[in-house]
Structures are given as C-alpha cells and as structure tokens.
Amino acid sequence: MPQYELPRLGFGTVGVTDPSTIVTALETGYRHVDTAQWYENEDVVGRGLERSEVPREDVTIATKVLPRNLGAEDVKRTAAESLDRLGVETVDLLYVHWPTNAYDPEETLGAFDELYDEGKIRGVGLSNFTPALLDEARERLTAPLVAHQVEMHPFLPQTELRAYARRHDHHLVAYSPLAQGEVFGDPVLQAVADDHGVSVAQVTLAWLFEKENVCAIPKASGDHIRDNYGSLALKLSEEECRRIDDIEEEFRTVDPSEEERVDGVPWAE
C-alpha cells in the first residue's frame, strides 16, 4: 500500500480564479485539492480553504514547484511562499512539476527531504517522470514518495507507469483524465454512459478508479463539479472496463516536445 491513502477523486484547479469554486468543491465532498505555482492561483485556493467549513485536516492539499525553482534554495524559498499563499503550515504533497530546467536529483530532492524533516510537507510527489527518472529519484529520496502525476485517460492508459506504481507502492494521479474533452466524442464511452444513464465524464472517471492505485484530478466548474463527483458511486462491470481498455485510439493532449519546460527530456509511454 502507498505511504498514505489519497482520495480517489481530487479537484484540479487549473484556471480557477474564484475561491467560491473551491468552497463548492469541498461542500460537494471533494477532499483532495491540487494546485501549483505554475497556475498562479495558490492564493485563490487558500482563500477557498479558509472560507470552507471543512476542517483543514480533512483535506489533502497538493501543490507543485515550478521547474525554474528546483534549485535547492529556490525549492525551500518558494515552498515557503506557496504555504503562505495557501494559508497553511504544511501541505500533504509537494510535487516536482516537471523534471527539467533547474531539476537535479541530488539538489532538488535533497531540499524536498529537508522540507519533509521540518514538517512542511507530509510526502513527496513527482510529475511527468519516466521510469528511469523515477528509479533515480527513489534512490535519492528519504522522504516518502506518495504520488506520481501524469496525463492519463482511455487514450493514454499509462500501463507501464501503473505497473510501476503498484510495484513501488505509490499512487498514480491522473491529470487531464477527460483528455481535455476528447472523451466526449468516443462512441464506446458514450455507449457505456447511455447504458447507465450517466455522463461520459462519470464513466471515464469510474474506469480510472477501477485501476489499482490510481486517482484522478479533473478540473471542473459549475454543474460539472457535482457531475464528476457522481463518478464515485458508479460501478462498471469487468466487461465494460474491457471495452474501454480496448479503445484503439491513442494520443496525449500535452505534447512535451512542444513545451520549452521539457525540452530534451525522454518521455514515458
């Protein structure tokens, strides 16, 4: 089992600019909120957490360090700034957002270990790592590796990284789990959704939850916040999961070759 359990469904906050969105998500039942220095909204998330009646200790809070801030002193300085913006004394997960730019396993992860020893973080998260980079990080870290966050959806099932997560007892956290809307045009997902009388989003998320050690952090607003949450109550049959597993179309929505932040880095499946 992973070092500690993450809620299967989290709330992604890319583009969130209104604290009331965070309040609505927490009132709906979400207990895992994911943000990042990159999103420039940690203060918004913090205000939402403060306004909510849900106790801080009931919410898993995750944020991520920008690639340019991955030097040891920058990690410690900007992590403190993130905690201040979030209005908390500790975060449950602090991620290396991308293993690029200033990332250096010894220096970067040494700083993460220090933050863990100081009680500023409960665990370490890595994001967008290959198996080889995960191996290297695990050899360096003394703090618990709780989660690895990658793009994952029916068109990018991340078979190798799911097996890796099971083998090494950490969570695989799926970002862009709805493939940035592409799932809504898939006939297999639509047919399963029609059979259950639910949305394609719920089917897609429920399929992810059938995978061992997998969590998902879809972003949402308005009625989609509650609709996505309904996926936790949906149980798919083995046959339905196989049909989704057998979808032949394969693609990713975040292309690292087009991103300066990941220039030159070999990529996972």
Side-chain angles (χ1 to χ4, degrees):
M1 294 291 290
Q3 292 286 334
Y4 62 81
E5 285 299 303
L6 294 180
R8 299 304 295 275
L9 179 64
F11 190 71
T13 63
V14 176
V16 171
T17 59
D18 186 347
S20 66
T21 302
I22 305 300
V23 175
T24 298
L26 293 172
E27 288 177 346
T28 300
Y30 291 82
R31 294 296 181 267
H32 175 188
V33 179
D34 181 275
T35 185
Q37 294 173 0
W38 204 310
Y39 307 163
E40 299 184 343
N41 66 358
E42 289 171 317
D43 58 332
V44 174
V45 172
R47 292 199 300 275
L49 292 167
E50 183 180 19
R51 294 178 190 177
S52 169
E53 296 183 0
V54 177
R56 160 67 185 96
E57 60 270 20
D58 291 349
V59 183
T60 296
I61 302 173
T63 192
K64 312 177 195 74
V65 179
L66 270 166
R68 67 169 178 263
N69 293 335
L70 291 174
E73 293 307 313
D74 287 338
V75 166
K76 291 182 281 188
R77 174 182 58 81
T78 64
E81 292 169 353
S82 290
L83 291 174
D84 184 61
R85 286 190 290 268
L86 287 164
V88 297
E89 296 182 355
T90 184
V91 290
D92 301 281
L93 273 176
L94 185 68
Y95 284 90
V96 174
H97 203 154
W98 294 83
T100 57
N101 201 309
Y103 176 72
D104 174 84
E106 291 293 324
E107 184 175 343
T108 302
L109 300 178
F112 274 64
D113 281 336
E114 287 185 41
L115 291 170
Y116 176 77
D117 291 340
E118 293 168 359
K120 302 293 179 61
I121 65 176
R122 287 186 61 209
V124 173
L126 304 175
S127 187
N128 303 301
F129 276 54
T130 63
L133 290 173
L134 287 168
D135 285 341
E136 184 179 52
R138 287 179 51 254
E139 289 176 4
R140 174 59 186 83
L141 277 170
T142 58
L145 174 58
V146 175
H148 180 211
Q149 187 175 132
V150 293
E151 180 179 350
M152 181 180 173
H153 43 70
F155 313 116
L156 188 65
Q158 297 290 13
T159 305
E160 181 180 9
L161 292 177
R162 283 193 286 116
Y164 191 103
R166 291 194 303 272
R167 191 161 61 248
H168 297 291
D169 295 325
H170 60 252
H171 297 278
L172 194 66
V173 178
Y175 71 74
S176 296
L178 305 181
Q180 299 191 26
E182 294 296 325
V183 296
F184 299 111
D186 185 82
V188 174
L189 295 168
Q190 186 63 63
V192 176
D194 290 344
D195 288 343
H196 286 271
V198 299
S199 68
V200 167
Q202 287 190 25
V203 167
T204 304
L205 294 170
W207 169 80
L208 283 166
F209 301 149
E210 293 293 335
K211 309 299 184 186
E212 189 176 354
N213 284 23
V214 172
C215 307
I217 51 167
K219 64 179 181 179
S221 60
D223 292 341
H224 297 296
I225 294 174
R226 291 181 175 83
D227 184 70
N228 288 350
Y229 193 76
S231 63
L232 293 170
L234 177 61
K235 179 68 175 177
L236 301 180
S237 68
E238 291 183 8
E239 186 271 337
E240 288 170 328
C241 288
R242 280 196 299 271
R243 286 163 58 193
I244 298 171
D245 289 339
D246 289 342
I247 291 174
E248 294 184 356
E249 189 172 10
E250 296 183 7
F251 61 86
R252 62 172 65 251
T253 63
V254 176
D255 184 353
S257 67
E258 296 179 357
E259 301 288 345
E260 181 181 354
R261 62 192 178 213
V262 290
D263 185 37
V265 173
W267 201 248
E269 105 180 55

